[in-house]
Amino acid sequence: MNFSVSVIIPVYNAELFIEKAILSVLYQNEVEEVIVVNDGSKDNTVSIIEKLKGKDNRIQIFHHNNRRNKGRSASRNLGIKNATKNFIAFLDADDFYLKNRFKNDKIVFESNLLIDGVYNAIGVHFYREYSRDEQLKLKLTTVTEKIESSVLFNELLSGKKGYFSIDGLTIKKDVFNKTGYFVEHLKIAEDTDLILKMALKSKLEAGIINKPVALRGVHDNNVFNDELLYRKSRDKMYEALIYWCFKKGESLKVIDELLKWLFYYRLKEKHSNLKETSYWFYLLKKNPKLIGSYLALKYFPIIRKRKNICPFLFK
């Protein structure tokens, strides 16, 4: 098996971090291509990338038309479309890989040619002051045990056995033929959306889950500091997944799971019956196949609340 990896790095105004990120990729023997997508940076990012490219021809630099800023999803998609190697991995511009990032991945892929992707744990590196509680909370992003690929989708939805980060994922390039690319209107949770699609459509296996293969940079400008934006994006992510599932012919059982979790989170926000009814009709309009299914009644707000569907999720 030819295990050659293209690593895709979207970057926007990351002059403080981008050199460390790129160098951490170049240290990996399995990486034959580093695709850096400049997302309209206004700082010194581009000159840093170009200087590194002059020293290592594995680095490829891409820009959006007119060097516009289009966001992480569009930038990663541009990278995927221009990748030439048979395996894809991702790295955010303020994160970095650790030594031997892909060594075990190669072993796992060679052990079973039917495996489509390998996911691993990532850790954290603080660029700012932090508390002991914060350090413990962010110490390791991982699943707590190896999960059979056939049930990975449901386990990731529940979160009971943890999650994994896209920085720790290595995937065969042809998987994107099954899932499509990142949803570009999702500004946040676009990676979760794609990971869940991969869990449904491909065979993902656990790699190293008890120690990090990469470190996420934590600093004052991290987008995940915006909790309100995350809450708004979560609904949009579920909506995109439900729409995609109908388009791909997924079972109503899968869509039922997505609706259950969508309304679990909305229940916690205590929307009014009127707002929830309006929202449900919006989902029905967007997904007409829901109307003729048992789910149309099951998740109608008054019936859903009367039967207490969502509160039983954690019982």
Side-chain angles (χ1 to χ4, degrees):
M1 183 188 71
N2 178 26
F3 184 72
S4 59
V5 183
S6 295
V7 175
I8 296 168
I9 307 176
V11 56
Y12 174 70
N13 289 349
E15 63 181 5
L16 297 177
F17 312 107
I18 188 60
E19 183 172 5
K20 187 180 185 72
I22 292 175
L23 289 177
S24 78
V25 177
L26 295 174
Y27 292 148
Q28 314 298 326
N29 293 329
E30 299 83 2
V31 174
E32 296 186 10
E33 185 174 59
V34 186
I35 297 180
V36 186
V37 181
N38 174 48
D39 191 22
S41 297
K42 305 298 183 184
D43 63 1
N44 200 38
T45 291
V46 175
S47 62
I48 294 172
I49 301 168
E50 289 177 343
K51 183 178 178 181
L52 291 170
K53 177 177 170 57
K55 298 177 180 179
D56 196 313
N57 61 13
R58 286 179 291 170
I59 300 173
Q60 303 295 321
I61 306 173
F62 293 90
H63 308 268
H64 298 294
N65 290 339
N66 300 317
R67 299 204 172 196
R68 294 168 54 199
N69 172 255
K70 297 186 68 174
R72 290 183 303 182
S73 293
S75 298
R76 287 173 177 154
N77 287 344
L78 181 59
I80 295 167
K81 292 171 185 176
N82 284 281
T84 63
K85 306 308 172 184
N86 54 349
F87 288 85
I88 300 286
F90 298 94
L91 185 68
D92 285 345
D94 50 359
D95 303 341
F96 56 93
Y97 288 152
L98 297 177
K99 186 178 179 180
N100 296 323
R101 159 66 179 87
F102 298 102
K103 183 178 180 180
N104 187 68
D105 287 0
K106 182 179 180 180
I107 294 171
V108 176
F109 280 115
E110 288 178 340
S111 71
N112 185 346
L113 296 181
L114 297 178
I115 292 173
D116 295 305
V118 178
Y119 54 89
N120 305 278
I122 72 163
V124 65
H125 178 82
F126 287 95
Y127 289 101
R128 58 164 173 77
E129 296 294 323
Y130 58 91
S131 67
R132 177 64 174 166
D133 287 344
E134 186 178 26
Q135 183 185 38
L136 291 173
K137 180 181 178 182
L138 298 177
K139 182 179 179 181
L140 205 62
T141 300
T142 188
V143 294
T144 55
E145 62 184 67
K146 293 192 174 184
I147 302 169
E148 287 293 328
S149 61
S150 60
V151 297
L152 182 61
F153 173 77
N154 282 26
E155 293 292 355
L156 291 177
L157 269 182
S158 75
K160 293 178 182 178
K161 295 181 181 178
Y163 309 93
F164 59 85
S165 165
I166 198 165
D167 277 359
L169 176 68
T170 307
I171 200 83
K172 288 179 178 176
K173 187 181 179 183
D174 60 10
V175 167
F176 296 99
N177 296 331
K178 306 173 188 176
T179 63
Y181 299 125
F182 289 92
V183 177
E184 296 191 5
H185 75 261
L186 293 177
K187 303 303 180 185
I188 292 179
E190 79 289 346
D191 47 356
T192 303
D193 170 89
L194 188 59
I195 286 170
L196 287 169
K197 290 173 181 174
M198 289 177 178
L200 273 174
K201 289 294 189 181
S202 58
K203 183 177 178 61
L204 303 184
E205 293 290 328
I208 299 172
I209 60 174
N210 61 344
K211 61 181 181 180
V213 300
L215 296 182
R216 180 178 67 178
V218 176
H219 48 83
D220 291 328
N221 296 321
N222 288 127
V223 68
F224 56 77
N225 292 333
D226 191 337
E227 293 184 8
L228 178 60
L229 183 58
Y230 260 91
R231 289 201 300 270
K232 291 181 178 179
S233 297
R234 182 179 57 221
D235 285 4
K236 296 297 182 184
M237 181 199 74
Y238 279 107
E239 292 166 18
L241 276 168
I242 291 165
Y243 180 83
W244 176 86
C245 282
F246 273 117
K247 184 177 178 181
K248 291 293 185 178
E250 290 293 332
S251 69
L252 287 178
K253 184 178 179 181
V254 169
I255 295 165
D256 192 352
E257 284 297 307
L258 290 169
L259 288 169
K260 188 166 62 176
W261 285 100
L262 167 62
F263 285 113
Y264 165 74
Y265 288 114
R266 289 185 64 86
L267 182 67
K268 293 174 70 175
E269 295 172 10
K270 299 180 180 179
H271 296 298
S272 68
N273 284 335
L274 179 62
K275 187 170 184 178
E276 284 297 83
T277 300
S278 176
Y279 181 71
W280 184 231
F281 280 119
Y282 158 76
L283 285 180
L284 291 174
K285 183 178 180 180
K286 189 174 181 180
N287 303 283
K289 291 183 179 179
L290 269 175
I291 298 173
S293 74
Y294 69 91
L295 299 176
L297 285 177
K298 180 177 181 179
Y299 288 98
F300 191 81
I302 295 175
I303 296 174
R304 172 167 50 84
K305 289 184 177 181
R306 183 181 299 166
K307 292 186 176 182
N308 289 327
I309 291 172
C310 295
F312 287 102
L313 281 170
F314 291 107
K315 291 187 176 181

